Amino acid sequence: MLHRNHFGVLAAAALSVTLTACGSSDNPTAAKPAPSKSSAVASSASSSPTPQAALLTKNQLASALLPLSQMPAGWSTEGDDTPGDKTFCDYRQPHKARIQVSRSFQKGGGLTATVAAVGIRQYASASDAAESFTAMEKALETCRQETYQGSVVTYAPMSVDKLGDRSLGVRIESDGSTALQQFTLDGPVLINVGTGSLNAEADTATALLRDQVGRYEAAARK
């Protein structure tokens, strides 16, 4: 049976680039875009990556998160979260996110319950965000399985839409449940969207990622 507590094991792994927030800036500044890179797991850059994306305040980033009103029918808000610091196979991040915000949703209950989460992690610069994305990408080249909170968690690369500067996807399985996690590097931020259930499907996560990237880019270009 999938429920919020059980999904916590998957969520901790799925939201793996989460880092402890270490302050925010009240004066947004322009971030220098980083050059795109590609790999077997990451998608190539889109035709229009975020140009000169502004560094946003925590309130601005929180406002850029997908609201319940933009979710498909049947979802309810689980609340805004403070992400933890778990990483895939405990790999070490080269930089800490300066600000991070996330929100979770649930649809249905019992055996049919599905959980979704969206998040934005903003770094000091686009280059710091790109290096952090690369570190995650490298870790996933060898990280295929680990034990977390007493459960065996397995990882597999997953194809994703070409959004932002670079994107990658991961299929995560544990105790009969599946989480589909997608990440997009977009200027100075890493955007993540994940869904989890007993029978998770990629269409929902893909649509939510497109919407979340769109909302962030609109906020960053104002």
Side-chain angles (χ1 to χ4, degrees):
M1 178 176 179
L2 179 71
H3 50 75
R4 182 69 176 169
N5 291 337
H6 173 70
F7 185 69
V9 174
L10 284 175
L15 306 182
S16 64
V17 296
T18 304
L19 291 166
T20 302
C22 52
S24 62
S25 171
D26 292 326
N27 298 309
T29 57
K32 181 180 179 181
S36 298
K37 299 180 181 178
S38 61
S39 76
V41 178
S43 73
S44 60
S46 67
S47 58
S48 57
T50 308
Q52 296 295 316
L55 293 178
L56 304 180
T57 66
K58 186 170 185 177
N59 285 341
Q60 288 173 322
L61 288 171
S63 295
L65 289 173
L66 278 174
L68 181 62
S69 61
Q70 282 194 231
M71 293 292 289
W75 291 87
S76 60
T77 304
E78 286 287 282
D80 293 353
D81 303 317
T82 300
D85 59 2
K86 180 71 180 77
T87 62
F88 293 115
C89 295
D90 297 319
Y91 80 91
R92 187 171 182 175
Q93 281 276 315
H95 303 286
K96 288 187 176 181
R98 293 296 182 90
I99 306 174
Q100 50 189 345
V101 293
S102 64
R103 180 169 294 153
S104 58
F105 306 89
Q106 182 169 325
K107 182 177 182 180
L111 292 175
T112 63
T114 300
V115 176
V118 296
I120 305 173
R121 295 161 187 78
Q122 180 174 268
Y123 293 79
S125 66
S127 60
D128 281 5
E131 289 172 10
S132 297
F133 186 95
T134 297
M136 175 176 62
E137 182 179 270
K138 293 290 186 183
L140 286 169
E141 290 177 358
T142 56
C143 177
R144 291 290 179 266
Q145 180 176 294
E146 66 176 319
T147 299
Y148 179 66
Q149 294 185 352
S151 296
V152 175
V153 184
T154 61
Y155 308 109
M158 181 178 70
S159 61
V160 293
D161 268 3
K162 297 176 176 62
L163 299 171
D165 301 313
R166 297 152 65 190
S167 296
L168 66 80
V170 187
R171 182 183 180 90
I172 305 166
E173 296 187 346
S174 178
D175 296 333
S177 299
T178 300
L180 304 178
Q181 184 69 26
Q182 302 184 21
F183 300 93
T184 290
L185 169 67
D186 208 337
V189 306
L190 293 186
I191 298 170
N192 67 272
V193 168
T195 59
S197 68
L198 289 177
N199 298 294
E201 47 81 28
D203 290 347
T204 298
T206 297
L208 293 180
L209 182 64
R210 289 182 193 140
D211 291 344
Q212 183 58 79
V213 169
R215 279 185 65 86
Y216 165 72
E217 291 184 348
R221 288 170 176 166
K222 287 182 179 179

